[in-house]
Amino acid sequence: MPTRAKQKHKAKNPGKTRHGKVQPAKQKQLSPGKWFEKLVAVQARLRAPNGCPWDREQTHQSLRTYLIEEAYEVLEALDSGNDAKFAEEMGDLLLQIVFHSQIASEEGRFTVAEVIREIHDKMIRRHPHVFGETRAKDSAEVLRNWEQIKAEERRSNAGSGAPKAGAEHSKEASLLDGVSRALPATLEGFQLTRKAARIGFDWEDAGGVIEKMQEETEELKTALKTGDQRKIEEELGDLLFAAVNLARFLKTDPEIALKNANAKFSGRFRIMEKMARDTGREFKDLPREEMEAFWNAAKKAEGDSNLRERSGAQTKK
């Protein structure tokens, strides 16, 4: 069923189901493989002729939104510190893999067993320093070897005629191959610069990237004076790309950093709205100067709240 329609339940007792019933000891002792087989069987049953009408209507295309939503819900649960929630959301994400595999299996294209086999073989193939004779002195060397192995795999696939979804075989192989254009723009930029950095094409320090951002800011200002919308978009894109590169250099995921900034803005804006209502007015009706004053007050309130939380945590220790 659609994920946004499902009810969320907290696992209060690891020995109970979501509905509070005690799990039989035999079920609790099932191996991960057995549980996976049961999940695959459940999804096959839902897609069967006498199964669930909603599940039977779904296609790879219709499920794309849910796949993205579930990935973000996993990240949200990870940040929450709630392990029961984290485990639940990872289960929802796993279901998407099973769902897509079931659809493909019905069409005679591949099965979930092939999906697992592919990633199993790939992990062994790309870790020769663990499963083979190769040695890697540090993680940087592991990543260089990983990229080299991936490049060899691409050449091998191209030579064998094995097509890869979306691949343009007329183009020469590139170290940037494998970065999906379907990624959100920040993640695509993150992946592109990370791949380039792995072969040494990178800044010496963060200061160089910051200078680049300043340079791009000046170019954007120049474009603004011309009024050329295409040029403005280009220069703004260059500035955003530099910001993504800085995030990668600082070992920070730009998508998560921006998500946190979005949450911070949303929290402050809601505080301002409440402040306005407390004075008997709506925030949208305030003059710009008063909005700015409320923004500063919201920032202070947020800072005071964070300070109290930190003090409380230290007291508990």
Side-chain angles (χ1 to χ4, degrees), residues 285-303:
D285 298 327
L286 300 180
R288 175 63 182 273
E289 295 76 12
E290 200 166 351
M291 286 184 174
E292 291 290 343
F294 273 29
W295 174 261
N296 292 330
K299 284 178 64 177
K300 184 177 185 305
E302 180 186 70

Side-chain angles (χ1 to χ4, degrees), residues 2-295:
T3 54
R4 55 175 77 220
K6 69 191 175 189
Q7 287 197 349
K8 303 287 188 178
H9 301 270
K10 292 184 179 179
K12 296 180 180 178
N13 187 324
K16 294 184 178 182
T17 67
R18 292 181 179 178
H19 301 289
K21 297 179 180 178
V22 177
Q23 292 181 344
K26 184 177 180 182
Q27 276 199 328
K28 288 194 291 184
Q29 294 171 0
L30 288 179
S31 68
K34 289 293 183 182
W35 275 117
F36 187 77
E37 289 177 2
K38 288 168 71 71
L39 175 61
V40 171
V42 165
Q43 191 56 49
R45 173 73 177 81
L46 291 172
R47 291 276 299 179
N50 58 343
C52 171
W54 184 89
D55 285 77
R56 285 178 49 76
E57 290 173 359
Q58 301 314 303
T59 65
H60 291 306
Q61 287 68 36
S62 69
L63 290 172
R64 287 183 299 181
T65 299
Y66 299 117
L67 182 59
I68 295 171
E69 283 181 358
E70 294 299 355
Y72 278 113
E73 287 182 13
V74 167
L75 291 176
E76 186 176 356
L78 185 156
D79 291 336
S80 74
N82 184 331
D83 282 345
K85 183 70 173 173
F86 190 20
E88 177 187 354
E89 296 299 346
M90 284 199 293
D92 291 342
L93 182 57
L94 176 61
L95 176 61
Q96 294 301 309
I97 305 301
V98 172
F99 207 150
H100 280 281
S101 299
Q102 176 62 31
I103 294 173
S105 178
E106 293 165 5
E107 297 172 355
R109 291 157 48 216
F110 60 83
T111 67
V112 71
E114 291 174 83
V115 172
I116 298 170
R117 186 198 68 210
E118 284 292 328
I119 188 58
H120 169 274
D121 292 352
K122 180 187 291 185
M123 294 305 288
I124 291 178
R125 190 168 62 247
R126 293 189 182 176
H127 290 83
H129 53 287
V130 177
F131 301 106
E133 300 300 322
T134 304
R135 291 293 173 261
K137 62 182 180 181
D138 53 30
S139 59
E141 189 169 347
V142 169
L143 292 176
R144 284 194 295 272
N145 291 343
W146 180 282
E147 291 300 330
Q148 182 179 346
I149 294 169
K150 284 179 66 175
E152 291 172 354
E153 289 173 353
R154 285 192 293 268
R155 284 194 293 270
S156 176
N157 288 338
S160 64
K164 200 157 189 178
E168 298 180 32
H169 295 296
S170 60
K171 292 185 178 180
E172 293 292 333
S174 168
L175 286 169
L176 301 181
D177 288 344
V179 177
S180 173
R181 291 302 309 274
L183 286 171
T186 54
L187 291 183
E188 183 185 8
F190 183 83
Q191 295 281 13
L192 290 170
T193 57
R194 185 169 67 174
K195 281 180 172 286
R198 285 178 180 173
I199 61 161
F201 187 69
D202 203 2
W203 299 91
E204 290 292 333
D205 53 47
V209 197
I210 293 173
E211 287 179 8
K212 182 64 176 175
M213 289 180 65
Q214 293 169 340
E215 175 189 321
E216 297 296 353
T217 301
E218 291 304 316
E219 292 181 4
L220 177 58
K221 288 179 181 178
T222 301
L224 284 170
K225 292 176 182 177
T226 69
D228 184 335
Q229 192 58 41
R230 291 182 63 181
K231 187 63 176 176
I232 290 171
E233 180 182 284
E234 177 186 348
E235 297 301 344
L236 178 59
D238 290 344
L239 177 58
L240 291 172
F241 186 82
V244 168
N245 204 3
L246 177 61
R248 191 267 317 160
F249 195 91
L250 298 177
K251 296 180 171 55
T252 298
D253 187 312
E255 191 74 13
I256 293 175
L258 184 55
K259 278 283 186 182
N260 291 338
N262 291 344
K264 183 192 295 184
F265 176 83
S266 178
R268 289 177 182 174
F269 196 89
R270 292 171 193 277
I271 290 174
M272 292 191 296
E273 289 178 313
K274 183 179 184 305
M275 287 177 172
R277 292 191 189 104
D278 289 344
T279 65
R281 297 171 295 172
E282 288 296 322
F283 183 72
K284 65 182 178 64
D285 298 327
L286 300 180
R288 175 63 182 273
E289 295 76 12
E290 200 166 351
M291 286 184 174
E292 291 290 343
F294 273 29
W295 174 261

